[in-house]
Amino acid sequence: MTEGLTKRFGHVTAVDHLSLAVREGEVYGFLGPNGSGKTTTLRMLCGILVPTEGRGAVLGYDILRQPEQIKAAIGYMSQRFSLYDDLTTWENLTFYATVYGVSRRERAGRLAQMIRLADLTGQESKLAGQLSGGYRQRLALGCALAHAPRLLFLDEPTAGVDPVSRRNFWAIVRRLADEGITIMVTTHYMDEAEHCDRLGFIYQGRLIVEGPPATIKTTAFRKPVLEVSAPDVRKTADLLERWEAVEEIVRVGDRLRVILGDEALASADLVAWLEGQGVAARAERVPPSVEDLFVSFVDRERKARLREQLRAVGG
Amino acid sequence: MTRLLGIVQKEFIHLRRDALALTLALFVPVAMLFIFGYAINTDVKHIPTVVWDQSGDVEAARLLEAFANSQYFDLKFRVRSFAEVTRFVDRGQAKVGIVIPPDFASRLASRQDPAIQVIVDASDPTVASSAINAASALGQARSLQILAQTIGAGSVRAAPPLDVRVRAWYNPDLLSAFFIVPGLVGALLMQTTVTVMAAAIVRERERGTLEALIVSPIRRWELMLGKIVPNLLVAYGQMTLALAVAHYVFGVPIRGSLVLLYLLSLVFMMGTLGLGIFVSTLSRTIPQALQLSFLTVLPSIYLSGLLFPLEGMPEPAQWLAALLPLTYYLKIIRGIVLKGVGVNHLWMEILPLVLFGAVIFTLSVLRFRKSLD
């Protein structure tokens, strides 16, 4: 969908030659830490921000020349939910439907469908301001869908919503995808990334890796991830910090999650090394989570950049 | 068109839900009119008065009776020296002092100039102007009566008029309800349109709904117009109510064409709504928008000639006044309401207003567009 998309704000390059393609009918997860360029990319794709460089097309419309067609064809839900608190559920839906030019005749049927889809039955005449977080989130989704778009952009749709509502929300997103709607979703909840068909990682305005979650885990990420338990977790962590084979240590509850830099190493190697330091520990290899992936990719990217800079300086 | 109507409809729901704001928008101006209208009512009656009657004869007594009967003056104190008059006025126990010369009756009889002195404490301009007007009127009325008596006695020589000399001790500022009430309508119109417009846009920004509207296919002009139309209707409602109060309560005559007034008000409001949009581009939160609106409206209130006549202001202030749309609108509304002038006498006010409206509106809309990116 995009090719060499770049946006600079003054000297700051928010999005740096980004090229990505989202397939029809898939759920594409767009991941990255805050300030990595996710929202800027979305805004360019929505036709509200003009790229400094590069090209892009959304649903066959050129983002430079046909932004109005794009706006009419897509649905957009922002993390702030964009609801009018002093309007009822029904009025919010009606308003967004009219703004998107849904005719009066089509509207009633369309809205009833939205109420069902977003599981808002019984909430129609409540003011949006009185709805709980989960309902607000689904109402915002309903508003974004009021004109039956073929492509849906969700910008951090689950921010600040309780886990149960998040699960419900993802179930609805899945259902929409099954109906053939293409969905591009940004999130920084790594566990949510697993709901996506494909993932794209963006860091400092660059796409650093792309692919289905499972493929990324098995092929792009071969480093062993170990879960380590020991009597004294802190001391163990301090010790492991000094072992050059360790790339990353994260403390999860009373355990350690350790990523080793060398593919050839196994859990036994770690246990043996710790024994050599006088610590008895147990270690078990676990599948890498998206979070592990991300952390390691970011590091790899950072190192690569550093190397690049050094080369440039050294001539 | 559907999209535009959608915005308009939504704005009306906002208005309906926020009943307090709507009530305030409509009735605060009326309340303001009442407060201002009565506060500036020049008809202040029963002003405490000190009298030094040096003549003590019948003619003087009759004159004083007329002063008392007018109900403007309460002849509370009688004294025997000018120093005492001064003391009463200085202390504020009396606002007016009347001094009648010793030879009042004889001068009147011999048709010399029978001057009496009325001293007015003008530190309160409203009381002062009321006292001055009443005293002057009384003097005129009395001299006419005396003249008629003289004629009735068969004389052909006109009697010298009774000369009431009014001395304002401090600088009196003359205000009149007719002057101020129509002007107030203009000021209120400006205040509401700027504030409501700015708040309506900033509210969307604050809630994050502006973001959703930008992503939607709605055009900027549709969004603007959709917000302007309900705002205009409220402003017109407010104006109608205020004019009705001005007319029926304060007796302000409406001599000119209301249609013309409403049309020219639209030109004026183009500029003020533009100002509101401008304010909205500078504000992130509603309180900021309200404060900025207030700051925008304030110079207009003081410099436009609403409270103080333009002619009395120092030159730099007059230049500034020439840049304010309200200055021109006040001339228009006063011209139409009080003098009943038509469009042919108002071109010098209409042209700058159109110019301001166009410039401010265009600039604001351009700035608004930029602020969205």
Side-chain angles (χ1 to χ4, degrees):
Chain A
M1 277 202 320
T2 76
E3 227 175 85
L5 204 58
T6 300
K7 179 70 192 181
R8 292 193 197 94
F9 297 106
H11 291 295
V12 183
T13 306
V15 175
D16 193 359
H17 294 93
L18 189 80
S19 298
L20 56 86
V22 176
R23 293 176 202 136
E24 225 177 296
E26 77 175 350
V27 179
Y28 187 93
F30 202 39
L31 279 77
N34 288 331
S36 57
K38 284 178 304 197
T39 303
T40 307
T41 307
L42 273 199
R43 287 169 70 94
M44 286 193 281
L45 292 178
C46 290
I48 54 173
L49 204 59
V50 180
T52 319
E53 226 178 86
R55 290 181 296 139
V58 173
L59 295 170
Y61 298 116
D62 188 278
I63 60 170
L64 283 169
R65 280 176 289 125
Q66 299 166 298
E68 294 307 320
Q69 281 94 323
I70 293 177
K71 283 181 182 180
I74 60 165
Y76 175 85
M77 173 182 163
S78 85
Q79 58 171 312
R80 297 175 67 186
F81 296 168
S82 297
L83 298 172
Y84 295 95
D85 287 348
D86 55 341
L87 264 59
T88 63
T89 300
W90 189 262
E91 284 163 346
N92 267 294
L93 285 167
T94 310
F95 173 65
Y96 280 106
T98 29
V99 163
Y100 278 90
V102 177
S103 75
R104 190 178 284 272
R105 221 162 349 102
E106 285 171 82
R107 216 186 291 152
R110 193 68 216 148
L111 297 198
Q113 200 184 331
M114 283 307 104
I115 295 275
R116 267 199 314 279
L117 180 85
D119 196 10
L120 291 162
T121 315
Q123 311 290 322
E124 291 93 334
S125 48
K126 268 199 195 153
L127 294 181
Q130 292 167 354
L131 297 177
S132 68
Y135 277 117
R136 287 174 61 79
Q137 178 199 36
R138 294 203 296 277
L139 175 54
L141 180 66
C143 289
L145 288 166
H147 58 296
R150 281 157 54 213
L151 172 64
L152 190 59
F153 287 109
L154 305 173
D155 192 7
E156 312 225 342
T158 50
V161 173
D162 66 275
V164 177
S165 297
R166 273 167 62 188
R167 231 178 358 258
N168 290 343
F169 184 81
W170 277 102
I172 296 173
V173 169
R174 202 64 254 178
R175 225 182 310 153
L176 290 171
D178 292 343
E179 284 173 25
I181 298 176
T182 310
I183 294 159
M184 184 162 178
V185 54
T186 73
T187 179
H188 52 223
Y189 287 117
M190 297 302 167
D191 56 331
E192 291 187 347
E194 322 251 354
H195 293 284
C196 301
D197 296 319
R198 277 196 320 139
L199 298 175
F201 288 83
I202 182 173
Y203 181 68
Q204 295 190 339
R206 289 192 192 179
L207 194 68
I208 51 179
V209 72
E210 196 182 31
T215 319
I216 290 181
K217 276 183 198 173
T218 53
T219 62
F221 197 87
R222 291 173 192 277
K223 292 176 192 169
V225 179
L226 306 175
E227 215 166 66
V228 179
S229 47
D232 188 344
V233 180
R234 260 190 81 160
K235 193 182 153 205
T236 314
D238 288 343
L239 277 173
L240 285 171
E241 204 75 77
R242 277 185 267 143
W243 190 23
E244 66 276 7
V246 171
E247 202 171 271
E248 185 81 36
I249 305 172
V250 187
R251 199 172 153 179
V252 185
D254 59 347
R255 284 156 195 227
L256 294 174
R257 220 175 154 84
V258 181
I259 303 172
L260 298 180
D262 189 343
E263 283 174 35
L265 293 171
S267 55
D269 296 309
L270 183 128
V271 174
W273 187 84
L274 278 177
E275 240 165 53
Q277 304 288 317
V279 175
R282 275 185 298 131
E284 192 185 346
R285 186 157 179 168
V286 292
S289 73
V290 180
E291 194 154 355
D292 296 327
L293 295 179
F294 193 67
V295 167
S296 73
F297 280 127
V298 164
D299 277 350
R300 193 191 288 172
E301 179 78 359
R302 207 181 273 153
K303 280 173 206 149
R305 277 205 185 188
L306 194 64
R307 235 175 270 132
E308 216 173 82
Q309 281 167 359
L310 288 174
R311 245 201 310 269
V313 171
Chain B
M1 204 58 201
T2 325
R3 295 189 294 236
L4 179 60
L5 283 179
I7 297 269
V8 172
Q9 204 175 11
K10 174 191 75 94
E11 294 296 315
F12 274 118
I13 298 175
H14 285 324
L15 280 176
R16 211 174 59 223
R17 293 281 147 77
D18 200 350
L20 181 67
L22 186 61
T23 317
L24 284 179
L26 288 176
F27 290 98
V28 162
V30 175
M32 292 267 283
L33 271 184
F34 271 103
I35 294 165
F36 272 77
Y38 280 120
I40 52 151
N41 200 332
T42 51
D43 254 14
V44 180
K45 296 200 170 179
H46 303 290
I47 305 164
T49 304
V50 56
V51 177
W52 179 30
D53 180 4
Q54 297 170 76
S55 75
D57 55 37
V58 188
E59 289 297 333
R62 217 179 272 166
L63 179 70
L64 289 173
E65 203 185 298
F67 268 85
N69 286 344
S70 74
Q71 294 195 3
Y72 283 98
F73 304 94
D74 270 1
L75 308 181
K76 276 184 153 173
F77 314 103
R78 301 239 169 202
V79 297
R80 282 151 187 260
S81 73
F82 193 74
E84 280 181 279
V85 172
T86 314
R87 211 175 59 228
F88 272 98
V89 177
D90 275 347
R91 281 196 200 138
Q93 284 170 292
K95 296 277 183 196
V96 173
I98 298 173
V99 180
I100 296 174
D103 52 352
F104 180 72
S106 59
R107 283 176 81 118
L108 202 63
S110 63
R111 292 171 189 127
Q112 283 175 323
D113 183 6
I116 69 161
Q117 195 179 13
V118 177
I119 294 155
V120 178
D121 173 2
S123 62
D124 183 338
T126 321
V127 174
S129 64
S130 189
I132 292 166
N133 290 338
S136 305
L138 276 167
Q140 269 170 20
R142 288 296 288 180
S143 60
L144 282 175
Q145 262 180 35
I146 292 159
L147 187 65
Q149 272 173 9
T150 321
I151 293 166
S155 169
V156 285
R157 270 185 63 195
L162 179 67
D163 180 11
V164 176
R165 286 191 191 155
V166 175
R167 269 177 55 194
W169 275 9
Y170 313 108
N171 186 29
D173 216 65
L174 302 177
L175 297 171
S176 103
F178 279 18
F179 177 71
I180 205 155
V181 168
L184 215 53
V185 175
L188 288 168
L189 218 52
M190 173 166 190
Q191 154 90 44
T192 356
T193 43
V194 173
T195 316
V196 175
M197 190 70 205
I201 298 174
V202 174
R203 195 178 301 127
E204 300 256 4
R205 198 197 302 280
E206 229 181 21
R207 284 170 172 163
T209 44
L210 197 58
E211 201 186 339
L213 292 179
I214 295 164
V215 181
S216 83
I218 197 154
R219 304 288 152 100
R220 263 140 230 209
W221 68 265
E222 290 174 321
L223 177 59
M224 289 286 95
L225 204 61
K227 290 202 162 281
I228 286 172
V229 168
N231 194 343
L232 272 182
L233 287 177
V234 172
Y236 271 131
Q238 196 180 49
M239 180 179 166
T240 310
L241 213 59
L243 280 176
V245 170
H247 185 62
Y248 293 109
V249 179
F250 294 103
V252 175
I254 294 175
R255 299 204 171 97
S257 154
L258 274 178
V259 176
L260 181 65
L261 180 61
Y262 276 61
L263 266 175
L264 293 180
S265 300
L266 189 64
V267 177
F268 171 61
M269 285 191 283
M270 272 280 284
T272 55
L273 289 168
L275 266 179
I277 297 171
F278 194 80
V279 165
S280 80
T281 62
L282 296 173
S283 325
R284 294 274 131 200
T285 62
I286 298 258
Q288 274 178 9
L290 294 183
Q291 280 187 350
L292 261 175
S293 309
F294 188 63
L295 213 67
T296 322
V297 177
L298 209 59
S300 291
I301 303 251
Y302 285 110
L303 296 177
S304 63
L306 171 69
L307 300 170
F308 319 111
L310 282 175
E311 293 75 14
M313 297 193 308
E315 230 172 77
Q318 291 198 26
W319 297 334
L320 242 123
L323 292 174
L324 301 170
L326 187 61
T327 308
Y328 300 97
Y329 183 69
L330 288 187
K331 285 185 186 157
I332 290 176
I333 192 171
R334 281 176 184 150
I336 294 178
V337 168
L338 300 176
K339 295 191 234 160
V341 296
V343 73
N344 46 335
H345 289 296
L346 294 171
W347 282 118
M348 288 307 288
E349 282 73 41
I350 295 172
L351 287 178
L353 216 51
V354 170
L355 190 73
F356 278 128
V359 170
I360 295 174
F361 198 80
T362 314
L363 278 180
S364 305
V365 171
L366 287 180
R367 230 198 102 82
F368 176 71
R369 297 186 55 152
K370 260 187 101 174
S371 77
L372 293 184
D373 293 336

